[in-house]
Amino acid sequence: DPQTNGEVNRSNARYTLGYAHLDTEGYRQALGFLEQVTRTISATSVNVHQDAYLRTADAHFMNKNFSQALHMYETVMRLGTAGADYALFQKAIIAGASNRQPEKISLLNGLEQRYPGSNLIADAQLEVANTYLGDEKFLEAIDPLTRLLKNPQGESLYPQAYLKLGVAYFNLSDNTKALDNFRQLVSAYPNSSQSEDAIEYIR
């Protein structure tokens, strides 16, 4: 006997159930509820529909249905609706999962220019660095990590950045700069898990 009273309605109930299943990693169940909220969006869609659409894309992504997720992320980017910067970030991750690393790096580097106010810029900088490090391109990883350490919005990522920057310099046989970054990490974030790793490098 569905009731409607302002925000208390079937659409919002399905949206909330979809979110709950996402939080508990029930991605197929999440799809069932989120797709009942909306399967399409436009530039004028209400916020709950825009977000449900984006979360549906996330559910497809987590189910490894990358082609459908990519189509939906690109729709969000094309319409410029809320979460367009996140959609670009996810598009880059899909490119990486498909072994298209140059495309991934290009997309992530373009996030700051396209969405200068995005709170995902620091995450993008770290992901670019991780991609370079994964390919053992240690010299290329230095620039995004250095920019991350100058980004006030990325402070929660600083321990990772210091550790990875130290590792990059270590692999480039620049022990002076490697030690400097490891010591800054241990000094500023002594209780972080990254500091434990840094201590081993310092030794």
Side-chain angles (χ1 to χ4, degrees):
D1 185 20
Q3 302 294 310
T4 298
N5 183 6
E7 292 186 356
V8 180
N9 55 64
R10 280 185 290 183
S11 182
N12 283 355
R14 289 165 177 158
Y15 173 68
T16 303
L17 282 165
Y19 245 110
H21 282 295
L22 285 177
D23 285 343
T24 55
E25 300 181 8
Y27 304 115
R28 295 193 185 282
Q29 298 94 321
L31 275 174
F33 287 108
L34 292 168
E35 288 182 337
Q36 290 182 68
V37 178
T38 186
R39 287 178 177 267
T40 61
I41 59 167
S42 68
T44 58
S45 294
V46 295
N47 290 343
V48 69
H49 285 182
Q50 291 181 11
D51 194 61
Y53 187 84
L54 198 52
R55 300 288 79 82
T56 301
D58 287 344
H60 281 299
F61 175 85
M62 295 306 298
N63 283 324
K64 300 191 185 308
N65 185 357
F66 294 141
S67 60
Q68 181 61 29
L70 181 60
H71 169 73
M72 298 180 78
Y73 290 135
E74 288 177 337
T75 297
V76 172
M77 292 168 58
R78 176 173 51 81
L79 294 173
T81 53
D85 57 337
Y86 172 78
L88 173 58
F89 186 90
Q90 290 296 95
K91 180 178 180 179
I93 298 301
I94 290 173
S98 304
N99 293 317
R100 301 193 306 272
Q101 307 301 354
E103 179 185 350
K104 175 185 178 180
I105 290 170
S106 176
L107 287 166
L108 290 171
N109 282 334
L111 191 147
E112 185 172 1
Q113 286 71 42
R114 190 164 179 178
Y115 306 103
S118 172
N119 60 7
L120 291 172
I121 291 172
D123 295 275
Q125 291 166 335
L126 182 61
E127 191 61 35
V128 168
N130 286 340
T131 304
Y132 282 133
L133 290 171
D135 289 339
E136 298 187 357
K137 296 180 178 179
F138 302 109
L139 184 62
E140 289 87 341
I142 291 172
D143 178 64
L145 290 170
T146 302
R147 287 188 289 116
L148 170 55
L149 287 170
K150 295 177 181 178
N151 184 346
Q153 291 184 334
E155 188 171 2
S156 65
L157 302 176
Y158 285 2
Q160 291 186 61
Y162 276 121
L163 178 63
K164 292 174 188 292
L165 197 53
V167 169
Y169 280 120
F170 176 82
N171 281 281
L172 291 168
S173 300
D174 191 335
N175 289 338
T176 300
K177 289 183 179 178
L179 275 172
D180 181 56
N181 281 282
F182 291 140
R183 285 171 174 161
Q184 286 189 66
L185 167 57
V186 173
S187 174
Y189 306 95
N191 298 319
S192 67
S193 60
Q194 290 81 12
S195 285
E196 296 177 12
D197 294 332
I199 289 171
E200 291 301 314
Y201 274 103
I202 290 170
R203 287 172 179 162

